[in-house]
Structures are given as structure tokens and as C-alpha cells.
Amino acid sequence: MTLIKQVLHSTLLAVAMTGSLLVCATCIAMPEVTEEVQVEQIYMRPPDEIAAVVDAPFPPTISLSPDRSNILIKVQPGLPGIDEVSQPELRIAGLRINPRNFGPSRSRYLNQIKLRALIGGEERVIAGLPENPKINSIEWSPDGTHLALLLTFAENIELWTIDVETASASRLLPNAINDTYSNPYAWMPCSKALLATVVPDRIGKPPEEPVIPTGPVIQQSLGRRAPARTYQDLIQNKHDEALFEHYATSQLVLVALDGTVHPLGAPALIDSAEPSPDGSSILVQTTRKPFSYTVPAYRFPRAIEVWNTQGDVIHTVAELALADDVPIPFGSVRKGPRSVSWRADVDSTLVWAEALDGGDAGAEVELRDRLFLHEAPFTGEPQAVLDLDLRFREVYWSNDNLALATGFWWQTRKIKVWRLAPGTPSNGASVVMDYSYEDRYNDPGKPLLVPTPKGTSVLLTDNGGSTIFLAGRGASPEGDRPFLDEMNLASGETTRVFHSQAPNYENPVMLLDLTEKVLLFSRESKNIQPNYWIRSLSAGDEKQITTFSHPNPQFARVQKELIRYTRDDGVELTAKLYLPAGYEAEKDGPLPMLMWAYPREFKSAAAASQVTGSPHRFVRVTYWSPTLWLLRDYAVLDGPTMPIVGEGDEEPNDTFRKQLVASAKAAVDEVVRRGVGDPERLCIGGHSYGAFMTGNLLAHSDLFRAGIARSGAYNRTLTPFGFQAEERTVWQAPEIYFAMSPFMHAEKVNEPILLIHGEADNNSGTFPLQSRRYYSALKGLGATVRLCMLPHESHGYRARESMMHMLWETSEWMDRYVKNAEPRETPK
């Protein structure tokens, strides 16, 4: 240990970065040792060409104004430093809170925003914003004359507005915003005021944790079934309860654009506040006690009420009990009204769904949900407008004669769309779409919406409401080709008005003009970055709207191909094959290769065989992309499909291992057949369920020389009430949980495996304990294994130092155990 320290301290190249230290990868490598050692715990830096990608700027995005005259150009800064990520954080009730400013502890921000006319005009920088702002939650006013946004500071969060005409920003509200729990603000339909949740004036200091406990923490269940998936960051004691109540309590206010503030009601645990389309009422949802120690806050008791604009309760929609007993079959829901919102096309009518099966997706019933409407002043009985044999998802509104309601059912992968006349529900409803969401080739697309002057969105229609427009991915045997269709609602027939054409990938965004069929769309190709265009579908002429530059020009000449190959059971598979610029298989020979994958479950082999992705998408490379390793002379097979199929009454996971290994073998055979992948220098990797996949492939095959597993779960008995797409419990299918758990087969892993995990992972099921226990098992059984726990990181990593170190670990591991791997030992 002393020698390692001396070498480290004598050779490292220090780079000061946001208060931390990164060490150049070329200065030090992993120590050559055969026994377990504790190496110096400092952040390392990957090779320069990899580090450059981490620091590359993010491409801008745009937001179109409701009147379609202006666009907002939004730019994100680089990754935050570990000094920001390691700020104090409360993890309670399924939330992660920054206790210093009453906001979320893990957010992404914008640091630049600009305005410009959609067609022509110069970009206008917004005046009045502070230097290096942290901007998020930015929304247009319904009339498009203003924007509202939140600015995050160390000690508070502020609500600001931007005058679009003058491109100037100013603080609107003197009170600090409370963004820990509720939606922090909403525009009123008049565009002259906003609803906001603020930190109460007399909030006081946060409750202090007792030094001396008053007693034990006790939970009990008296014979009532209350199964629950594995959740993180739950309330654990009375002090947590007090902290949650302190930070989640907010005061609802109505603030005019001139800064006049009117408090509404008393401080409460406000979950959401949504104005009615006519601005006369507010739909308010608040959380109530008792809090739970077994489920997150969104399952706590809640009251759903309608308030007037003076803050008085004028109608109670529902008072919902604690939902800690929701059955675990997928598609199960809490009892009582849910998805409560305003009907978007009329002044003040509530809409919601209620389960007819007790919320239990495992119950055998004919009907699942009922859709209700309740018109102001809410004196009569709610009106039932539709019974669904699937679980309700959402409604697209148009007028009293037209609405489209959608439902889904997990077990059959079915989606239905019903047409109904909400003004005369007695006329009944008809099914206008009925398809499987696994069947990408026959996905009809989703309806286009258009903003209304009141800030809602309704169906975009033509020909007196008889025609709607559907935009979809356009999956096909040639890859995704996004489209725009006109659909005649009477006949159900569709006419294609736009279809992406090779060699580009073009995605419809919005029809700007129905008469001339003017379309806003994005265009990209393998080597040309996405930008926005306008095309007249009737005349055929087009104009480029944005000119964003290539964020990673070093990847402009990489080779990309969408490849197809077949598994031994006949299921067709797809992958994106990337090769370094200038590489020629015949001249250069096979390369070391990284395969990065994520298994998915299917109920149809035909659907599992469909092509995913497009050969014409832009090669967008970030710090998260496996394609980074093209810069290190690796070939990359990104997203090789690993379908796990269970048709009919069969469950996919009954043959998980067999199908997984068969998919991986098919991918290996194909890259070897093409002469681009060296069968003796292949690495398999994945994140989350992909890490779980990696552990399984190393245990049950010898296809790969090494593995990289990030933020995975390896012992499924620690998620006993189901995981991923598995609905059965460990008591119903113990053999499945055992067979699928890499932890249970750690003795079979004879290839080096790198485990990386965030110490603060909040994803359901992927406790950091999973990686620690898996490492201990592998170490105890004599495997070659390395565990890297990233401080303060969650399921996805955020800090620049963490990303750099993760990539250093990956680079070192692959170079040692894949690219420069010694010949395999011949079995005796």
C-alpha cells in the first residue's frame, strides 16, 4: 500500500476542477496485483480524446411559442462539479430535497436562452438575467407574450418572467418558490397572472433530530395484504415525518405580472394547482396524513378539491386513503378518482377515471375503468361518459362532438383509442384504433395537438373536425421513418402527407398552417447534426430554420450500419454497428469490440423480430455513449436486441437465461462473420437491467473476455414483489428468481467484471447494496472483480468528476482485459 501511494503521488498530473482533483490517465494505471488492495481514492481522468467528449457542449434545443411566431433557443451548461452534486440532500418520502433552497437536489439547468422569430430575424439575448444563471421550468404564457422561469440560487429559488417583445427578464415574485414537492407554478389562462407555490412566511427552522430517542421505531400490519415494490428514500421515523412536512408545506399564491400577490388558502402539502380553462377555479391536490414508511409520497392520502380564486374550497372531488395496498400486477391502480384534470376544450369541467376492478389488474372482470365528467358548479352528479375494458391512459379533447380516449393493458400489450362525443355520451363510443404497442410496424401514431388561447392543448383537426393528424415513428424493415398522416374519422382511412426519406431522418413537429400544409420538422443524417426546417407539403419548397453546429466533429466520419441477424430459434435481431473512421475490415482485421445492451420482454416473437432504430440517425456521442470507444480503436455494437419472449400463457422469464445467451451468441457470430469483431477480444456491458444482463452472460456463457456492469441489481430475492417486467413474487416463482440472479451463480463467473454504482442510487430495486454484495460474493469465490462506488451519485451519474472517473475505469478495464487480453487458458 505504501509503494502504491508513493507511485501515485510522484507521478500524478493534477488538474484543479471545481474544487476537486482529477488525475491524468496516462500518468497512472491500475496496479498490477493479484490480491485485493485498497488503492488511492482520488478522481481519475480518462484519455484526452475521451475527456474532450465529456466537456463538449450540448446541442441547443428549441421551444415554439403558442402563436408559432417565435422560438426560444435553450442551451445547457456542461456537467456540474462534484462540489455541487455533494451539497446537502434530504432523502425522504421518495423525494430528494435540497434543504438550503427548498428545491430538488438533482436538477438539470439551462444557462443560456435566446429568442428569435421563427422565420427570419436575429437571435436576441435575454437582458436582465444574472451571470451564469441556473434556469429551469421555463414556460410560455398562453398568448406567447411572456415566458416564466425559475432561477435557482444557493439559498432560494425565484420566479422570473421575460417580456418577449423587449427580450428582458425580471424577478416577478418577492417570495421564495417551494419546488420540493409541488408543480411550482402555472400560467393563468388570461396570461396576466400565475399561480405559484411559495415557502410560507413563517415556516420556521427545520426540526432538529432528537439526540436522545423517545422510543423505538415500530411498524405493524394486522392481516391486511399490502405488497409493495422495492422503493428507495422512504420515511423511516418521526423525525423524517417532521422534515417532510416542513419542506413540502407551501403557500399557494396568485401573482399578477405587475407583482401584486394574493395568498390563496392556508399553507398545505400542495401537490398540484391547475387553473380551469376559463380561470374561474383551481384544481388543488394536497397530501394528508398519515404518512407511510413503505411507499413514496405520491401514495400518501390526498384531498382533491376545487378552489375559487380567493382560495375558498367550493367542491371536494375526493379524499383518498393511503394507497399502500395497491396490488402488484402491472396495471393496478389506487382506488377512487385518479388522473383528475380539467377538460381542455370547455370552460370548467372536471374529468377523471375510476377503476371498476378495485384497482386490481389481476382481477378477472369485463370492464376495467370508467371515465367521468363533472361540470361546474359541480352541484349535480358526475356523468359517466365511457366504460373501458382496458386501463385508462389519457383523453385528447376537441369539442362536444369529438374526443379521443386511450386505454392500455400490460398483459396483452394492447392499446385502444375510442372516439366519443362528450356532449352527448348517450350516443356511445366507437373504437378507432386497436393495436399492440409491441407491434412497432403497425403503430398508427399519436394525434397532433394545437395550443388554445387559454393555455390548454386540443386535437388539431381539419375539414370541420372530420380529419385528425397522426405523427409516428414509422418503424419498418428499413428502420424508423417518421411520418405524418391525415385520418378520416368516419372511414378510418389514412392518407400519408409526410414520410421521412433516406438518407435523412426527418421528424414532424407541428403543422403550422393547415391551408398550405406548412410543416415544422427536424432533419438529421448519420453525419449531419439535427436542425429544424419548414416545408410546404403542398408546394414542396422548404427553408432551414436553425443552423446548430456539429457538437462532436471528431465523430463526423465514423461508420454506422443498422445490421440484421437471426437467433437460433428464428427470432430476428437488430443492432447498430459502429466502426472507426477509415477502418477497413479486409485491410485492418477484426477489432476489439464493446457490446452495450439492455434486454426487453415481449409477448410476440414477431414483434420481437421487428427492426428498431434507424440507419440515418445522427451519431450523437455523449459521456454516456458506448460509441466513445471508437476513439480508442474499438468497434462498438450498440443496442443489440436481447428480446425475452413468452407467447400465450408462457412467461418471458421462464426461459430468460436461454434466450439471453442465444441473443448474445447471435450477435457475436454476426460480428465475427463480418470480420469486424475479434472473438477473443469482446466486452459486454450495460447499465441497470443491462448490468444485470452482463452478470448473467458472464455466468452462463464464455462469449466475452470481460464485462462492465453499471448500477445493476444482481440478487432478485432483494426485490421479492417483482422486478422489471416480472409480476410474480419470489414466493410464487422462487426458481425463476434464483435462476435469473447473477449473485446465485457467482461461482460461474470466470471473466473479469467491473462493477460501478452510485452510492446514492434511488432507482427502485438497484440499491447500492446490490453491487457491494455481488462484489463480496465474486471476491470470495476468487473472481477478477473491481468495485467502484461513486460518491453522491444516483442511478444516473451527474458530476463531471464522476463521469471522468467512470470513463477512466472503463478505459483501463477494457484495455487490460479486452484489447490487450492474454490468450485464454485452455481447459484441462
Side-chain angles (χ1 to χ4, degrees):
M1 184 64 180
T2 303
L3 177 60
I4 294 174
K5 281 188 175 181
Q6 290 175 347
V7 173
L8 280 163
H9 287 289
S10 63
T11 60
L12 63 81
L13 174 63
V15 182
M17 294 173 43
T18 62
S20 67
L21 193 67
L22 288 184
V23 181
C24 179
T26 58
C27 300
I28 187 163
M30 292 179 181
E32 290 283 358
V33 292
T34 56
E35 72 281 358
E36 183 190 38
V37 296
Q38 300 298 323
V39 297
E40 188 77 12
Q41 297 183 9
I42 55 176
Y43 288 107
M44 304 296 287
R45 187 175 186 272
D48 289 344
E49 61 269 32
I50 300 295
V53 177
V54 177
D55 290 331
F58 289 93
T61 59
I62 70 167
S63 172
L64 182 66
S65 65
D67 62 2
R68 307 170 196 173
S69 63
N70 292 297
I71 57 174
L72 179 71
I73 300 172
K74 302 181 288 186
V75 180
Q76 287 188 19
L79 293 171
I82 192 65
D83 58 331
E84 179 178 325
V85 174
S86 58
Q87 290 298 305
E89 178 180 67
L90 293 178
R91 304 169 188 171
I92 45 176
L95 307 176
R96 294 203 161 178
I97 299 168
N98 183 336
R100 295 177 59 190
N101 64 11
F102 281 78
S105 59
R106 297 168 184 269
S107 294
R108 291 291 295 163
Y109 303 105
L110 306 172
N111 67 337
Q112 293 183 47
I113 50 176
K114 300 176 183 179
L115 283 165
R116 52 157 282 194
L118 176 62
I119 300 176
E122 298 292 326
E123 291 184 358
R124 296 184 293 158
V125 176
I126 308 301
L129 290 172
E131 188 176 356
N132 298 319
K134 292 182 177 180
I135 303 167
N136 65 359
S137 302
I138 187 164
E139 299 288 345
W140 292 94
S141 63
D143 64 4
T145 62
H146 289 80
L147 288 149
L149 57 93
L150 298 184
L151 280 181
T152 296
F153 298 91
E155 302 297 333
N156 70 315
I157 298 173
E158 299 176 359
L159 178 63
W160 287 51
T161 55
I162 296 172
D163 185 306
V164 173
E165 183 179 3
T166 62
S168 60
S170 59
R171 184 176 180 179
L172 176 64
L173 190 62
N175 311 69
I177 290 289
N178 189 334
D179 192 22
T180 61
Y181 186 47
S182 60
N183 296 321
Y185 74 85
W187 279 101
M188 294 296 288
C190 63
S191 296
K192 300 183 183 302
L194 300 94
L195 293 170
T197 52
V198 302
V199 178
D201 289 336
R202 298 176 182 176
I203 191 65
K205 293 183 179 180
E208 295 184 2
E209 185 171 9
V211 177
I212 301 173
T214 58
V217 176
I218 296 173
Q219 301 179 60
Q220 69 175 2
S221 181
L222 303 177
R224 181 177 65 101
R225 285 182 176 267
R229 295 260 169 170
T230 308
Y231 298 110
Q232 311 272 44
D233 301 340
L234 300 178
I235 288 176
Q236 297 184 36
N237 51 48
K238 287 293 183 181
H239 181 245
D240 280 355
E241 290 191 53
L243 284 173
F244 171 68
E245 189 167 12
H246 175 84
Y247 285 103
T249 296
S250 57
Q251 171 68 59
L252 185 64
V253 300
L254 181 65
V255 54
L257 288 182
D258 64 6
T260 305
V261 179
H262 296 285
L264 304 178
L269 298 170
I270 297 174
D271 178 74
S272 64
E274 178 189 359
S276 60
D278 66 355
S280 66
S281 306
I282 307 165
L283 178 62
V284 179
Q285 302 197 35
T286 56
T287 295
R288 302 290 174 87
K289 292 180 178 180
F291 305 146
S292 172
Y293 290 20
T294 60
V295 293
Y298 68 84
R299 294 270 199 97
F300 291 179
R302 67 173 47 202
I304 306 174
E305 301 168 331
V306 178
W307 296 7
N308 62 22
T309 53
Q310 287 72 50
D312 303 315
V313 177
I314 59 175
H315 176 64
T316 298
V317 180
E319 292 183 350
L320 302 179
L322 174 66
D324 65 344
D325 59 350
V326 175
I328 61 173
F330 292 169
S332 296
V333 295
R334 78 189 302 164
K335 298 173 185 176
R338 69 178 201 281
S339 302
V340 184
S341 62
W342 295 109
R343 183 175 153 185
D345 59 323
V346 294
D347 285 344
S348 186
T349 296
L350 291 170
V351 57
W352 69 84
E354 290 191 44
L356 299 176
D357 57 6
D360 185 359
E364 295 185 7
V365 297
E366 182 179 349
L367 297 173
R368 294 289 173 184
D369 272 355
R370 179 168 291 158
L371 192 65
F372 290 91
L373 292 177
H374 203 186
E375 185 178 357
F378 316 112
T379 52
E381 290 296 315
Q383 185 178 29
V385 294
L386 179 65
D387 285 350
L388 299 86
D389 59 350
L390 308 181
R391 191 66 77 204
F392 168 76
R393 176 174 280 175
E394 60 185 327
V395 184
Y396 304 104
W397 302 100
S398 179
N399 52 49
D400 275 345
N401 297 315
L402 175 62
L404 299 177
T406 66
F408 76 100
W409 195 244
W410 162 259
Q411 285 77 4
T412 58
R413 299 347 188 226
K414 182 179 285 294
I415 291 178
K416 283 185 183 179
V417 181
W418 289 264
R419 179 188 179 183
L420 64 149
T424 52
S426 59
N427 291 344
S430 59
V431 176
V432 294
M433 301 179 204
D434 187 345
Y435 61 100
S436 167
Y437 68 73
E438 285 187 345
D439 184 5
R440 301 173 80 254
Y441 289 179
N442 293 298
D443 186 339
K446 289 189 175 182
L448 285 188
L449 304 179
V450 61
T452 70
K454 296 181 178 181
T456 63
S457 293
V458 297
L459 286 166
L460 178 64
T461 63
D462 201 3
N463 301 319
S466 64
T467 300
I468 63 171
F469 297 87
L470 301 172
R473 295 173 297 184
S476 74
E478 294 77 40
D480 291 351
R481 296 178 57 201
F483 65 84
L484 180 65
D485 283 353
E486 293 182 352
M487 181 180 184
N488 184 297
L489 287 169
S491 66
E493 295 181 356
T494 58
T495 302
R496 188 139 296 178
V497 296
F498 174 85
H499 203 184
S500 179
Q501 300 293 325
N504 295 320
Y505 180 90
E506 299 171 324
N507 196 34
V509 176
M510 171 63 72
L511 268 174
L512 302 176
D513 184 285
L514 284 177
T515 304
E516 297 296 326
K517 296 294 190 294
V518 178
L519 178 70
L520 175 67
F521 66 99
S522 64
R523 172 184 288 166
E524 62 189 89
S525 65
K526 282 192 289 188
N527 300 314
I528 299 177
Q529 67 282 354
N531 270 291
Y532 291 89
W533 295 67
I534 288 177
R535 178 188 298 171
S536 170
L537 300 180
S538 56
D541 55 320
E542 60 184 31
K543 178 181 178 62
Q544 187 169 350
I545 298 302
T546 62
T547 55
F548 301 141
S549 60
H550 198 306
N552 303 108
Q554 65 270 45
F555 288 93
R557 294 176 53 248
V558 302
Q559 303 173 60
K560 174 186 176 182
E561 182 181 357
L562 193 67
I563 66 172
R564 294 281 279 164
Y565 49 98
T566 306
R567 202 165 73 179
D568 60 9
D569 60 358
V571 174
E572 295 184 73
L573 306 175
T574 308
K576 295 183 286 292
L577 175 63
Y578 295 91
L579 299 169
Y583 167 79
E584 297 179 23
E586 291 186 3
K587 182 181 72 174
D588 301 323
L591 295 172
M593 174 175 280
L594 171 62
M595 293 187 184
W596 199 262
Y598 192 97
R600 298 188 185 277
E601 299 79 3
F602 291 84
K603 291 299 292 179
S604 161
S609 294
Q610 292 181 354
V611 174
T612 60
S614 167
H616 308 302
R617 295 298 302 263
F618 176 61
V619 182
R620 173 75 178 109
V621 183
T622 71
Y623 47 79
W624 210 245
S625 307
T627 41
L628 272 173
W629 306 106
L630 294 168
L631 299 176
R632 299 290 290 170
D633 296 324
Y634 287 84
V636 174
L637 196 68
D638 188 18
T641 50
M642 302 276 181
I644 311 299
V645 183
E647 295 190 306
D649 293 332
E650 295 180 357
E651 291 290 340
N653 285 340
D654 288 350
T655 52
F656 175 86
R657 278 168 32 185
K658 179 181 177 181
Q659 294 191 63
L660 182 69
V661 173
S663 295
K665 185 177 186 302
V668 169
D669 289 348
E670 179 63 15
V671 298
V672 171
R673 183 191 68 80
R674 289 171 171 261
V676 297
D678 184 344
E680 293 300 312
R681 295 188 296 166
L682 302 177
C683 182
I684 184 67
H687 186 88
S688 195
Y689 209 54
F692 173 76
M693 168 207 72
T694 298
N696 269 293
L697 286 173
L698 294 189
H700 304 297
S701 79
D702 290 309
L703 296 168
F704 303 98
R705 296 305 305 272
I708 298 166
R710 295 199 314 232
S711 298
Y714 309 101
N715 183 349
R716 300 290 20 163
T717 67
L718 297 179
T719 54
F721 285 102
F723 59 91
Q724 202 70 6
E726 180 55 65
E727 295 182 277
R728 295 168 293 185
T729 70
V730 69
W731 300 278
Q732 294 171 319
E735 70 286 353
I736 299 300
Y737 278 67
F738 184 90
M740 291 180 65
S741 295
F743 180 87
M744 303 301 182
H745 306 279
E747 81 282 1
K748 300 176 185 177
V749 176
N750 55 8
E751 298 89 6
I753 181 169
L754 172 64
L755 306 174
I756 302 175
H757 213 123
E759 285 188 341
D761 193 332
N762 66 340
N763 183 57
S764 179
T766 54
F767 291 104
L769 178 69
Q770 291 271 8
S771 285
R772 291 191 174 103
R773 289 290 184 263
Y774 191 37
Y775 169 78
S776 295
L778 291 166
K779 168 180 168 286
L781 292 165
T784 299
V785 58
R786 182 177 172 93
L787 173 63
C788 173
M789 301 298 296
L790 296 171
H792 304 289
E793 294 294 355
S794 186
H795 195 59
Y797 319 141
R798 296 177 59 235
R800 181 173 183 267
E801 292 83 350
S802 299
M803 291 297 182
M804 292 284 194
H805 189 87
M806 175 194 76
L807 296 171
W808 176 83
E809 293 278 0
T810 304
S811 179
E812 291 289 311
W813 200 257
M814 290 204 303
D815 283 357
R816 172 173 296 177
Y817 295 112
V818 181
K819 180 186 286 186
N820 302 309
E822 297 180 357
R824 295 182 196 246
E825 293 183 7
T826 304
K828 296 181 181 179

